């Protein structure tokens, strides 16, 4: 039976309807579950396709995996961790933190592991979703997609890749059983994962060929161990750690001035990247290869203290010629050279600019979210709600990505917004809450105008950009601006239907009540 056949069958009144179902257990899913519990909403379920929590920090276990935002800021505001070992958290430590939060806030008992959501379908007459998984069907008044933007690895579209007879695995699907000793390894891509992987591969007794399409801008990473004395101070005086968090926050937030408000300022910042190349790389040929041909900030700015150094090792070869074809045991480049390899590691990122849902989402009148987004590019109101899909909420939705700071800030803001909407739906017995098309259009027109004059409008083949030329990924502003916009929902932005299907007529006191509720 197809998903649509399942969707069209058995719309009889279910025995149990959850107040909310959440998909995913990364930062977004855990934060959402915590906020629901804080709001005394306990009739909910979290569905996780894997057998443990962690999202991208569970999946990306490649050597050198670490965060590029400081630990004190890349963590929940409600659960500071005084025991971070480094200024920038390692993958294992971040995963431990997420497990800690899951257990401390008693979220694990709400999670159903090994459960993949295949599709969700809205019942307009009753006002709830049918949630189809691999082994069971659930029903819920509201649904929150918290699967995140880095959950679906993207393989490169290279001729013949399916014919390769050696070993091949994506950087997000690392095979720790593979013996690298003496192997010829091809690392494809020079993004955030690749610049962490290369230094580790270079330390092994293997021959590494790094295939670069576009050189990234890289700056030194201000990383160091956090001393035991510092940890003791944070444990004894939490306000001291909060002060450090605030200082990090504002030091990163000022970057918006160059990225969005006045992109010409990025030319000044770019000199840091140019100086780093000149100071670190002695070989003029390599120096030329790694110098980007676009303004810093147009693509993601990366940080590393080892990448440039690794490129100069005897067992590492940087190749900038475009790959033309992959054969059974080799990679061909457009200059006609055949590179024999035993292993290919595509470090080619994730499906992001398309921003499609990993499962089918069907709303009012049989509308498919993925069909709409595939045609027009992903679009939402505040990256959180989409016209035609009532009672459906996104965390880390379109245009909520950041080029300068911690995504946890955006997650907490969106979770607060979604929770307030869900509380109103449940407490006021609304059948549906649907963002108006004009509200969504007006909002996206506003951010499109900001994006059109930002550094990201420069042509640099960025993964931020949808194939139709639309930036569907980034938030063009300060994070405190986004937090302010998501502080409370505006009744006038939504079409709300009451329990009997009538359109709810709001008044000025409704929005005043929302504002007061958001403060207290």
């Amino acid at each position: 039976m197809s998903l649509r056949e399942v969707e069209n069958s058995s719309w009889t009144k279910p025995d149990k309807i959850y107040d909310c179902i959440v998909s995913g257990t990364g930062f977004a899913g855990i934060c959402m579950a915590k906020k629901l519990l804080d709001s005394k909403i306990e009739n909910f379920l979290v569905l996780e396709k894997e057998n443990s929590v962690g999202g991208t920090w569970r999946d990306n276990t490649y050597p050198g995996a670490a965060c590029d935002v400081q630990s004190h800021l890349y963590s929940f505001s409600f659960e500071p961790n005084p025991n971070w070992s480094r200024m920038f958290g390692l993958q294992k430590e971040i995963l431990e933190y997420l497990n800690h939060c899951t257990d401390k806030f008693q979220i694990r008992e709400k999670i159903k592991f090994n459960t993949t959501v295949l599709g969700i379908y809205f019942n307009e007459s009753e006002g709830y979703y049918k949630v189809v998984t691999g082994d069971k069907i659930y029903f819920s008044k509201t649904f929150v997609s918290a699967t995140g933007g880095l959950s679906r690895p993207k393989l490169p579209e290279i001729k013949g890749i399916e014919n390769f007879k050696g070993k091949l695995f994506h950087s997000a699907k690392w095979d720790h059983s593979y013996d690298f000793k003496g192997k010829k390894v091809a690392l494809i891509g020079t993004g955030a994962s690749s610049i962490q992987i290369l230094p580790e591969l270079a330390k092994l007794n293997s021959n590494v060929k790094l295939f670069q399409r576009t050189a990234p801008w890289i700056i030194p990473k201000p990383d160091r161990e956090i001393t035991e004395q510092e940890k003791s101070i944070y444990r004894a005086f939490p306000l001291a750690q909060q002060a450090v968090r605030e200082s990090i926050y504002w030091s990163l937030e000022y970057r918006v001035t160059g990225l969005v408000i006045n992109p010409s300022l990025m030319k000044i910042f770019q000199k840091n990247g140019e100086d780093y190349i000149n100071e670190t790389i002695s070989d003029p040929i390599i120096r030329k290869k790694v110098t980007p041909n676009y303004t810093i900030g147009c693509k993601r700015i990366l940080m590393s203290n080892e990448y440039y150094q690794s490129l100069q090792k005897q067992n590492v070869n940087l190749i900038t010629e475009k790959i033309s074809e992959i054969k059974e045991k080799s990679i061909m480049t457009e200059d006609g050279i055949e590179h024999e390899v035993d292993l290919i590691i595509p470090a080619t990122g994730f499906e992001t600019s398309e921003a499609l849902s990993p499962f089918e989402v069907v709303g009012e009148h049989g509308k498919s979210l993925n069909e709409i987004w595939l045609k027009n590019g992903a679009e939402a109101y505040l990256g959180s709600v989409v016209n035609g899909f009532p009672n459906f909420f996104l965390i880390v939705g379109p245009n909520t990505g950041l080029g300068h700071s911690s995504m946890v800030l955006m997650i907490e803001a969106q979770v607060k917004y979604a929770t307030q909407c869900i509380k109103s739906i449940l407490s006021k017995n609304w059948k549906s809450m649907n963002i108006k098309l004009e509200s969504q259009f007006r909002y996206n027109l506003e951010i499109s105008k900001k994006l059109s004059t930002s550094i990201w409008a420069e042509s640099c083949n960025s993964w931020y950009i949808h194939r139709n030329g639309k930036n569907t990924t980034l938030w063009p502003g300060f994070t405190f601006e986004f937090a302010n916009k998501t502080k409370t929902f505006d009744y006038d932005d939504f079409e709300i239907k009451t329990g009997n299907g009538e359109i709810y007529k709001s008044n000025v006191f409704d929005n005043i009540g929302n504002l007061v509720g958001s403060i207290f």
Side-chain angles (χ1 to χ4, degrees):
M1 182 181 287
S2 69
L3 275 177
R4 286 300 177 99
E5 287 174 328
V6 170
E7 181 261 324
N8 289 325
S9 66
S10 125
W11 271 118
T12 55
K13 189 75 172 179
D15 294 332
K16 181 176 179 60
I17 300 177
Y18 287 96
D19 289 335
C20 184
I21 287 181
V22 181
S23 67
T25 60
F27 270 95
I30 291 171
C31 188
M32 189 71 228
K34 164 72 163 56
K35 192 66 176 177
L36 288 172
L37 289 172
D38 288 347
S39 302
K40 310 301 180 186
I41 299 172
E42 298 190 357
N43 180 33
F44 74 91
L45 191 63
V46 182
L47 304 180
E48 169 54 55
K49 63 185 177 67
E50 303 295 342
N51 61 7
S52 59
V53 305
T56 189
W57 296 107
R58 172 199 59 226
D59 298 337
N60 286 269
T61 61
Y62 59 80
C67 191
D68 57 4
V69 175
Q70 289 92 329
S71 306
H72 294 305
L73 192 60
Y74 196 80
S75 49
F76 294 124
S77 62
F78 52 81
E79 186 60 15
N81 176 19
N83 299 311
W84 291 116
S85 65
R86 305 191 64 82
M87 289 299 293
F88 292 80
L90 303 176
Q91 174 268 332
K92 183 179 179 182
E93 201 167 10
I94 297 171
L95 183 58
E96 289 173 353
Y97 173 77
L98 289 172
N99 273 287
H100 159 79
C101 291
T102 301
D103 292 328
K104 177 176 179 177
F105 301 118
Q106 300 179 322
I107 295 168
R108 199 175 298 274
E109 62 194 55
K110 295 289 186 180
I111 304 172
K112 183 171 174 56
F113 291 105
N114 301 307
T115 303
T116 301
V117 177
L118 302 177
I120 69 169
Y121 309 89
F122 189 64
N123 184 323
E124 295 176 54
S125 61
E126 298 297 330
Y128 59 77
Y129 277 95
K130 176 188 290 186
V131 181
V132 180
T133 72
D135 60 353
K136 190 175 179 180
I137 295 176
Y138 300 90
F139 299 88
S140 181
K141 185 70 179 173
T142 64
F143 189 94
V144 180
S145 177
T147 53
L150 303 178
S151 59
R152 287 161 287 164
K154 180 180 181 180
L155 287 174
E157 296 179 3
I158 301 174
K159 179 184 176 183
I161 191 170
E162 70 281 359
N163 299 323
F164 185 64
K165 299 298 183 184
K167 183 75 173 179
L168 185 151
F169 54 79
H170 191 279
S171 59
K173 301 291 182 182
W174 198 269
D175 184 352
H176 291 275
S177 67
Y178 187 80
D179 183 9
F180 286 85
K181 187 176 181 180
K183 298 296 195 304
K184 298 173 183 177
V185 181
L187 180 60
I188 300 177
T190 51
S193 299
S194 183
I195 71 159
Q196 294 181 341
I197 294 170
L198 181 68
E200 300 304 314
L201 289 181
K203 297 171 185 176
L204 303 174
N205 185 21
S206 56
N207 187 308
V208 184
K209 292 188 176 184
L210 175 65
F211 291 84
Q212 171 186 284
R213 183 178 63 175
T214 308
W217 279 109
I218 299 174
I219 59 175
K221 191 173 187 177
D223 193 20
R224 64 171 178 81
E225 288 187 2
I226 296 175
T227 67
E228 289 302 319
Q229 183 180 22
E230 288 174 290
K231 295 176 191 177
S232 297
I233 292 172
Y234 296 150
R235 285 192 289 266
F237 306 101
L239 285 178
Q241 187 176 9
Q242 179 62 29
V244 172
R245 178 184 169 98
E246 287 293 323
S247 67
I248 293 170
Y249 173 79
W250 290 109
S251 71
L252 298 181
E253 205 70 4
Y254 90 94
R255 295 179 181 179
V256 175
T257 307
L259 293 170
V260 179
I261 299 172
N262 187 359
S264 64
L265 295 174
M266 296 305 293
K267 288 288 187 180
I268 301 173
F269 183 61
Q270 183 169 306
K271 192 174 185 307
N272 294 331
E274 294 169 347
D275 289 345
Y276 189 39
I277 292 172
N278 293 329
E279 292 167 3
T280 312
I281 299 177
S282 57
D283 187 323
I285 296 176
I286 297 177
R287 192 184 301 158
K288 184 178 180 180
K289 286 182 176 182
V290 301
T291 301
N293 59 0
Y294 57 88
T295 306
I296 193 169
C298 182
K299 301 184 80 168
R300 185 175 177 181
I301 301 171
L302 307 180
M303 292 189 292
S304 176
N305 298 328
E306 299 180 277
Y307 177 73
Y308 287 150
Q309 293 83 344
S310 299
L311 287 176
Q312 300 172 85
K313 291 190 174 182
Q314 292 296 317
N315 62 330
V316 175
N317 187 10
L318 174 62
I319 299 168
T320 56
E321 286 76 17
K322 186 177 180 180
I323 296 174
S324 59
E325 182 182 2
I326 294 178
K327 295 187 173 184
E328 291 187 357
K329 297 181 180 180
S330 62
I331 293 176
M332 294 291 300
T333 47
E334 288 188 344
D335 56 1
I337 296 178
E338 184 172 7
H339 307 268
E340 290 188 6
V341 292
D342 302 304
L343 166 67
I344 297 177
I345 306 172
T348 44
F350 303 84
E351 301 287 352
T352 50
S353 62
E354 294 286 351
L356 300 180
S357 171
F359 46 82
E360 187 172 44
V361 180
V362 176
E364 290 182 330
H365 315 303
K367 291 181 183 178
S368 165
L369 183 65
N370 279 346
E371 288 177 8
I372 294 172
W373 280 1
L374 192 60
K375 179 181 178 181
N376 305 318
E379 185 176 288
Y381 178 77
L382 294 171
S384 304
V385 287
V386 185
N387 172 258
F389 299 86
N391 303 6
F392 173 72
F393 303 91
L394 293 154
I395 311 298
V396 193
N399 293 109
T400 59
L402 296 177
H404 70 285
S405 191
S406 171
M407 276 305 301
V408 182
L409 300 168
M410 301 295 277
I411 287 170
E412 288 195 37
Q414 284 192 280
V415 164
K416 182 178 181 180
Y417 184 82
T419 304
Q420 189 180 68
C421 292
I422 292 169
K423 284 172 65 177
S424 294
I425 291 170
L426 299 175
S427 64
K428 298 174 183 179
N429 194 33
W430 291 341
K431 181 172 289 185
S432 63
M433 184 178 186
N434 185 21
I435 187 70
K436 293 176 181 176
L437 184 59
E438 55 265 35
S439 300
Q440 182 173 308
F441 176 79
R442 184 176 63 250
Y443 169 77
N444 281 277
L445 183 62
E446 176 190 333
I447 62 173
S448 292
K449 286 181 178 178
K450 288 186 177 181
L451 285 165
S452 68
T453 57
S454 72
I455 191 65
W456 306 304
E458 181 179 316
S459 178
C460 62
N461 195 28
S462 167
W463 58 264
Y464 299 145
I465 310 300
H466 184 266
R467 52 189 167 78
N468 66 5
K470 179 180 178 182
N471 188 325
T472 60
T473 308
L474 294 173
W475 164 249
F478 297 101
T479 59
F480 59 79
E481 288 181 286
F482 187 81
N484 187 57
K485 285 180 178 290
T486 52
K487 184 184 299 181
T488 178
F489 74 84
D490 189 330
Y491 277 78
D492 295 334
D493 287 327
F494 289 87
E495 179 183 272
I496 298 167
K497 292 183 180 179
T498 62
N500 60 13
E502 294 180 356
I503 302 297
Y504 181 78
K505 305 275 187 197
S506 64
N507 57 62
V508 67
F509 297 106
D510 286 324
N511 283 325
I512 292 174
N514 259 5
L515 183 59
V516 172
S518 70
I519 297 172
F520 301 102

